[in-house]
Structure formats: C-alpha cells, structure tokens
Amino acid sequence: MRELDELVGGMIDSHRDGPAPDREDLLALLLGACDDESGKPMSDRQVRDEVVTFLIAGHETTANALAWMWLQLSLNPAARSKLYAEVDELLDGRTPTFEDADRLVWTRAVVQETLRLYPPIWNTGRRAQRDDVIDGIRIPAGAHVNILIYLTHRDPEVWPNPEAFDPSRFLGEPSPPRPRCAYIPFTAGRRVCVGNTFALTEATLLTAMIAQRYILDLDPTEQIAPEALLTLRPRGGLAMRLHRR
C-alpha cells in the first residue's frame, strides 16, 4: 500500500504542479470535477481512492481477459484471421480512436466471447434481502448467495455448444432471446461494475492496436490451466510467441 500510495501521490502532484492546458486524461478530469451542490472539488483522499480503483480493478481484469483472448485466437485461426482483416480494413494502419470501438464489430465480439468463457471476475456474492426459494432450495433472509459466473456462462440450456469459442454469438439478437442474467461478466443489478463500458471499450481498442503490430501464437510447450483466485487467470502465466506483422 505504501508503494501504491507513493505512485499515485506522485501522479496527483505532477498533475497539480504542471497540468497541460489541453490535458484530458482521467486524472485531469478527476482533479477538475466539482460537487454539483457545494461546488467543491474532490479531496486528495477521494482522488487517490478513485485512481487506485482504476489501477487495480481496471488493469488486472482486462489483462487477464486479453491473455485468454489471444490464447483462444491462437487456437481458432479462422476467428483470428477475421479479426485481423477487420482491423486492417477499418483502421488502415492508423491508431484507433474511441469512436472506432463500436465500428470494430467482430473485434468487440471476440472480446465478449472471451469474457463469456473466461470471465476475470468468475464469481460474485449477494445477500438475500428476504426469504426466498430457488429451485426448491430455501434461501433465508440475510443469507449470502454465491453466484458462479463461470458456470452461468457455460449453461448448455442457454449457450449451444458452450465450450466452443464462437464470437458470432454476440452478433445480432439471439433466437430465442437469452435471459437477462445469462451473460454477466460485470455482474448485474444495482451492484453492477461501474467500469463495464470502460473495460469493454478499453479491451476492444487494445486488441486492435496489438493486432496491428503482432501475431501471437501459443507456445507449443505451454500447459494451460485456469487459476481461480480473486480473478480468473492462467496459472503460472501464459507464454506466447510474438511475430511482427
């Protein structure tokens, strides 16, 4: 925590001491934000907490998802070829912008399908507000209920061939429509992840930028196994071979 506080504190101080007039990064927006009622800016502690949240919740989860994604693309060359074709045609070598996230339709679908198979947040908890019965099981008020997102995303009653990597699942509306909570990589309800749109946009643009530069192939000696800690990650890391395009 000391190391993290020093890192974040240095970032905040550098922005306060010499902010560029046209700077529009996240930290500059946080420092310039004011309360609607009082007109006061955030305290240093509030800014620190927001930045730490983005650093911790906003980078490891996305990194894990991208690791699983490049693994699946290496194992599914047709899906990978389609992604590279879309990136090359739409971007034509330029750096993608925020607006490109919605135009990279197949790339986004690849990210979404990866989040289905390997959701970085693989389980979540809720507390029952009142007595209930679910599938014959009594849930008393106040009980903690663990929701296994990993298994929800592989329910064969909802997802045909659930173990297969198929980004086309996320193109168009499914028939019949999927239940609202059949796909919850960011959980759901009032406690849904506030960074869901940010994370999906970030992952889509990062995928496009990496695809412009490299082809990633799984190292044939690599032994793949998921490790379910706070996040779902490849156990021992994931070795891949990068080839410049």
Side-chain angles (χ1 to χ4, degrees):
M1 290 303 300
R2 281 196 299 270
E3 291 182 11
L4 190 58
D5 283 341
E6 289 175 3
L7 172 67
V8 172
M11 294 167 58
I12 294 173
D13 290 343
S14 67
H15 271 59
R16 287 196 190 281
D17 294 341
D22 59 345
R23 178 176 280 163
E24 295 184 356
D25 58 30
L26 174 66
L27 184 49
L29 293 173
L30 290 173
L31 291 172
C34 295
D35 185 87
D36 290 338
E37 296 181 1
S38 67
K40 294 182 179 179
M42 291 185 185
S43 67
D44 284 351
R45 178 70 188 191
Q46 286 176 304
V47 174
R48 175 262 179 207
D49 289 349
E50 296 291 344
V51 174
V52 168
T53 297
F54 264 89
L55 282 174
I56 295 178
H59 92 275
E60 183 192 0
T61 49
T62 303
N64 285 340
L66 291 179
W68 291 117
M69 184 200 70
W70 289 114
L71 166 65
Q72 287 299 315
L73 289 175
S74 179
L75 299 175
N76 295 271
R80 185 172 72 174
S81 295
K82 192 170 181 178
L83 183 145
Y84 279 91
E86 178 181 75
V87 168
D88 290 346
E89 180 179 355
L90 179 66
L91 300 179
D92 194 25
R94 64 176 174 82
T95 301
T97 64
F98 177 80
E99 289 72 21
D100 290 318
D102 288 332
R103 302 183 186 125
L104 292 161
V105 178
W106 180 256
T107 305
R108 178 181 287 252
V110 165
V111 173
Q112 290 172 305
E113 175 69 343
T114 302
L115 293 175
R116 182 188 71 84
L117 281 173
Y118 297 101
I121 303 301
W122 59 278
N123 75 339
T124 188
R126 294 293 187 268
R127 186 171 59 203
Q129 293 184 336
R130 49 188 169 272
D131 291 342
D132 203 350
V133 177
I134 300 176
D135 199 24
I137 299 174
R138 189 177 72 85
I139 310 295
H144 289 271
V145 180
N146 201 37
I147 301 162
L148 295 176
I149 298 172
Y150 182 90
L151 296 182
T152 300
H153 286 181
R154 294 168 184 254
D155 184 349
E157 293 185 7
V158 179
W159 304 96
N161 196 11
E163 301 295 328
F165 180 76
D166 182 9
S168 65
R169 301 179 200 271
F170 294 92
L171 301 179
E173 294 297 325
S175 181
R178 287 189 288 266
R180 184 169 63 90
C181 288
Y183 182 70
I184 49 173
F186 302 102
T187 75
R190 295 175 62 187
R191 298 296 181 183
V192 67
C193 173
V194 297
N196 54 358
T197 302
F198 174 86
L200 187 56
T201 300
E202 177 189 35
T204 301
L205 296 180
L206 282 172
T207 298
M209 294 173 71
I210 295 170
Q212 287 178 312
R213 294 165 173 79
Y214 299 104
I215 296 173
L216 289 85
D217 290 316
L218 179 66
D219 189 307
T221 64
E222 190 74 351
Q223 299 294 318
I224 309 301
E227 185 174 29
L229 301 175
L230 181 62
T231 58
L232 185 67
R233 63 177 69 184
R235 178 173 293 155
L238 180 63
M240 302 195 77
R241 296 181 177 181
L242 276 68
H243 311 277
R244 287 193 179 275
R245 297 191 66 196

